[in-house]
Amino acid sequence: MNVIAYLIYFAITYWVTVHVGLSFYKHGRLYLLSLFHNDEKISDSINRLLLVGYYLLNLGYVAIMIRFWDSVTSWQTLVASVSTMIGKIMLTLAIIHFINMTVLLFFSKSYHTSTHSK
């Protein structure tokens, strides 16, 4: 039953990863433009880097979490196990997202300081 759990986990995490990644990419551009005074070049560059990093982080996390998966012996443990693993990745990514937003805010402040001092 572990194989079934893995397949369900991969399908759901794939959908969540792509859907959320594209949403961050689309809506994040406006956020980055506001942080960097409509500097499209730097905003788009950072946005693409964040998307690539997000996908790499997700792929690595999903691959590593398979290693720590407990044995699935029933449909009840399958649902509980898949839910737990998906919950872990969503919480981890949410924390990382807020850390990224904070880092970008501080980075944009130093960007403002360096562009205004020229």
Side-chain angles (χ1 to χ4, degrees), residues 95-107:
I95 291 166
I96 292 169
H97 174 69
F98 286 112
I99 291 169
N100 279 344
M101 295 300 99
T102 304
V103 168
L104 285 169
L105 182 63
F106 288 119
F107 183 69

PDB file of all heavy atoms in Angstrom, residues 95-107:
ATOM      1  N   ILE A  95       6.336  28.580   5.867  1.00  0.00           N
ATOM      2  CA  ILE A  95       7.355  29.226   6.693  1.00  0.00           C
ATOM      3  C   ILE A  95       8.445  29.815   5.813  1.00  0.00           C
ATOM      4  O   ILE A  95       8.853  30.976   5.991  1.00  0.00           O
ATOM      5  CB  ILE A  95       7.933  28.224   7.715  1.00  0.00           C
ATOM      6  CG1 ILE A  95       6.868  27.883   8.760  1.00  0.00           C
ATOM      7  CG2 ILE A  95       9.193  28.783   8.376  1.00  0.00           C
ATOM      8  CD1 ILE A  95       7.205  26.676   9.612  1.00  0.00           C
ATOM      9  N   ILE A  96       8.913  29.047   4.846  1.00  0.00           N
ATOM     10  CA  ILE A  96       9.953  29.537   3.937  1.00  0.00           C
ATOM     11  C   ILE A  96       9.451  30.732   3.131  1.00  0.00           C
ATOM     12  O   ILE A  96      10.186  31.684   2.882  1.00  0.00           O
ATOM     13  CB  ILE A  96      10.461  28.398   3.030  1.00  0.00           C
ATOM     14  CG1 ILE A  96      11.226  27.390   3.883  1.00  0.00           C
ATOM     15  CG2 ILE A  96      11.336  28.924   1.898  1.00  0.00           C
ATOM     16  CD1 ILE A  96      11.557  26.103   3.176  1.00  0.00           C
ATOM     17  N   HIS A  97       8.193  30.706   2.729  1.00  0.00           N
ATOM     18  CA  HIS A  97       7.610  31.824   1.972  1.00  0.00           C
ATOM     19  C   HIS A  97       7.671  33.112   2.786  1.00  0.00           C
ATOM     20  O   HIS A  97       8.088  34.157   2.275  1.00  0.00           O
ATOM     21  CB  HIS A  97       6.170  31.494   1.581  1.00  0.00           C
ATOM     22  CG  HIS A  97       5.448  32.624   0.934  1.00  0.00           C
ATOM     23  ND1 HIS A  97       5.774  33.096  -0.324  1.00  0.00           N
ATOM     24  CD2 HIS A  97       4.432  33.397   1.374  1.00  0.00           C
ATOM     25  CE1 HIS A  97       4.980  34.105  -0.621  1.00  0.00           C
ATOM     26  NE2 HIS A  97       4.161  34.305   0.391  1.00  0.00           N
ATOM     27  N   PHE A  98       7.279  33.040   4.044  1.00  0.00           N
ATOM     28  CA  PHE A  98       7.295  34.245   4.878  1.00  0.00           C
ATOM     29  C   PHE A  98       8.726  34.712   5.165  1.00  0.00           C
ATOM     30  O   PHE A  98       8.978  35.915   5.233  1.00  0.00           O
ATOM     31  CB  PHE A  98       6.496  34.030   6.160  1.00  0.00           C
ATOM     32  CG  PHE A  98       5.017  34.024   5.914  1.00  0.00           C
ATOM     33  CD1 PHE A  98       4.282  32.871   6.078  1.00  0.00           C
ATOM     34  CD2 PHE A  98       4.362  35.169   5.468  1.00  0.00           C
ATOM     35  CE1 PHE A  98       2.919  32.855   5.817  1.00  0.00           C
ATOM     36  CE2 PHE A  98       2.999  35.169   5.204  1.00  0.00           C
ATOM     37  CZ  PHE A  98       2.280  34.008   5.385  1.00  0.00           C
ATOM     38  N   ILE A  99       9.648  33.784   5.286  1.00  0.00           N
ATOM     39  CA  ILE A  99      11.054  34.162   5.439  1.00  0.00           C
ATOM     40  C   ILE A  99      11.532  34.880   4.173  1.00  0.00           C
ATOM     41  O   ILE A  99      12.197  35.919   4.242  1.00  0.00           O
ATOM     42  CB  ILE A  99      11.932  32.935   5.757  1.00  0.00           C
ATOM     43  CG1 ILE A  99      11.617  32.413   7.161  1.00  0.00           C
ATOM     44  CG2 ILE A  99      13.422  33.262   5.625  1.00  0.00           C
ATOM     45  CD1 ILE A  99      12.224  31.054   7.470  1.00  0.00           C
ATOM     46  N   ASN A 100      11.177  34.343   3.006  1.00  0.00           N
ATOM     47  CA  ASN A 100      11.547  34.983   1.734  1.00  0.00           C
ATOM     48  C   ASN A 100      10.982  36.390   1.626  1.00  0.00           C
ATOM     49  O   ASN A 100      11.662  37.313   1.174  1.00  0.00           O
ATOM     50  CB  ASN A 100      11.063  34.157   0.543  1.00  0.00           C
ATOM     51  CG  ASN A 100      11.965  33.007   0.213  1.00  0.00           C
ATOM     52  OD1 ASN A 100      13.096  32.949   0.659  1.00  0.00           O
ATOM     53  ND2 ASN A 100      11.441  32.072  -0.554  1.00  0.00           N
ATOM     54  N   MET A 101       9.736  36.567   2.018  1.00  0.00           N
ATOM     55  CA  MET A 101       9.112  37.894   1.940  1.00  0.00           C
ATOM     56  C   MET A 101       9.855  38.883   2.847  1.00  0.00           C
ATOM     57  O   MET A 101      10.066  40.039   2.469  1.00  0.00           O
ATOM     58  CB  MET A 101       7.630  37.841   2.338  1.00  0.00           C
ATOM     59  CG  MET A 101       6.756  37.035   1.391  1.00  0.00           C
ATOM     60  SD  MET A 101       6.741  37.660  -0.298  1.00  0.00           S
ATOM     61  CE  MET A 101       7.900  36.572  -1.090  1.00  0.00           C
ATOM     62  N   THR A 102      10.257  38.421   4.026  1.00  0.00           N
ATOM     63  CA  THR A 102      11.004  39.280   4.944  1.00  0.00           C
ATOM     64  C   THR A 102      12.369  39.635   4.372  1.00  0.00           C
ATOM     65  O   THR A 102      12.785  40.794   4.400  1.00  0.00           O
ATOM     66  CB  THR A 102      11.158  38.583   6.310  1.00  0.00           C
ATOM     67  OG1 THR A 102       9.862  38.246   6.807  1.00  0.00           O
ATOM     68  CG2 THR A 102      11.873  39.462   7.305  1.00  0.00           C
ATOM     69  N   VAL A 103      13.062  38.641   3.833  1.00  0.00           N
ATOM     70  CA  VAL A 103      14.383  38.880   3.232  1.00  0.00           C
ATOM     71  C   VAL A 103      14.257  39.858   2.068  1.00  0.00           C
ATOM     72  O   VAL A 103      15.071  40.786   1.923  1.00  0.00           O
ATOM     73  CB  VAL A 103      15.035  37.556   2.788  1.00  0.00           C
ATOM     74  CG1 VAL A 103      16.246  37.801   1.917  1.00  0.00           C
ATOM     75  CG2 VAL A 103      15.401  36.714   4.002  1.00  0.00           C
ATOM     76  N   LEU A 104      13.249  39.675   1.226  1.00  0.00           N
ATOM     77  CA  LEU A 104      13.048  40.581   0.095  1.00  0.00           C
ATOM     78  C   LEU A 104      12.754  42.003   0.553  1.00  0.00           C
ATOM     79  O   LEU A 104      13.218  42.968  -0.060  1.00  0.00           O
ATOM     80  CB  LEU A 104      11.919  40.075  -0.806  1.00  0.00           C
ATOM     81  CG  LEU A 104      12.268  38.894  -1.683  1.00  0.00           C
ATOM     82  CD1 LEU A 104      11.011  38.311  -2.314  1.00  0.00           C
ATOM     83  CD2 LEU A 104      13.277  39.284  -2.740  1.00  0.00           C
ATOM     84  N   LEU A 105      11.996  42.137   1.628  1.00  0.00           N
ATOM     85  CA  LEU A 105      11.702  43.461   2.156  1.00  0.00           C
ATOM     86  C   LEU A 105      12.993  44.161   2.601  1.00  0.00           C
ATOM     87  O   LEU A 105      13.232  45.313   2.250  1.00  0.00           O
ATOM     88  CB  LEU A 105      10.721  43.360   3.325  1.00  0.00           C
ATOM     89  CG  LEU A 105      10.283  44.677   3.956  1.00  0.00           C
ATOM     90  CD1 LEU A 105       9.516  45.525   2.946  1.00  0.00           C
ATOM     91  CD2 LEU A 105       9.413  44.397   5.174  1.00  0.00           C
ATOM     92  N   PHE A 106      13.844  43.447   3.318  1.00  0.00           N
ATOM     93  CA  PHE A 106      15.123  44.025   3.743  1.00  0.00           C
ATOM     94  C   PHE A 106      16.038  44.300   2.553  1.00  0.00           C
ATOM     95  O   PHE A 106      16.717  45.315   2.500  1.00  0.00           O
ATOM     96  CB  PHE A 106      15.831  43.137   4.767  1.00  0.00           C
ATOM     97  CG  PHE A 106      15.170  43.163   6.108  1.00  0.00           C
ATOM     98  CD1 PHE A 106      14.648  42.005   6.655  1.00  0.00           C
ATOM     99  CD2 PHE A 106      15.069  44.344   6.835  1.00  0.00           C
ATOM    100  CE1 PHE A 106      14.036  42.025   7.898  1.00  0.00           C
ATOM    101  CE2 PHE A 106      14.455  44.374   8.082  1.00  0.00           C
ATOM    102  CZ  PHE A 106      13.934  43.206   8.610  1.00  0.00           C
ATOM    103  N   PHE A 107      16.038  43.381   1.578  1.00  0.00           N
ATOM    104  CA  PHE A 107      16.850  43.566   0.376  1.00  0.00           C
ATOM    105  C   PHE A 107      16.384  44.788  -0.396  1.00  0.00           C
ATOM    106  O   PHE A 107      17.199  45.577  -0.887  1.00  0.00           O
ATOM    107  CB  PHE A 107      16.794  42.313  -0.494  1.00  0.00           C
ATOM    108  CG  PHE A 107      17.657  42.378  -1.718  1.00  0.00           C
ATOM    109  CD1 PHE A 107      19.037  42.362  -1.620  1.00  0.00           C
ATOM    110  CD2 PHE A 107      17.087  42.447  -2.982  1.00  0.00           C
ATOM    111  CE1 PHE A 107      19.836  42.423  -2.752  1.00  0.00           C
ATOM    112  CE2 PHE A 107      17.877  42.505  -4.116  1.00  0.00           C
ATOM    113  CZ  PHE A 107      19.256  42.488  -3.998  1.00  0.00           C
TER     114      PHE A 107
END
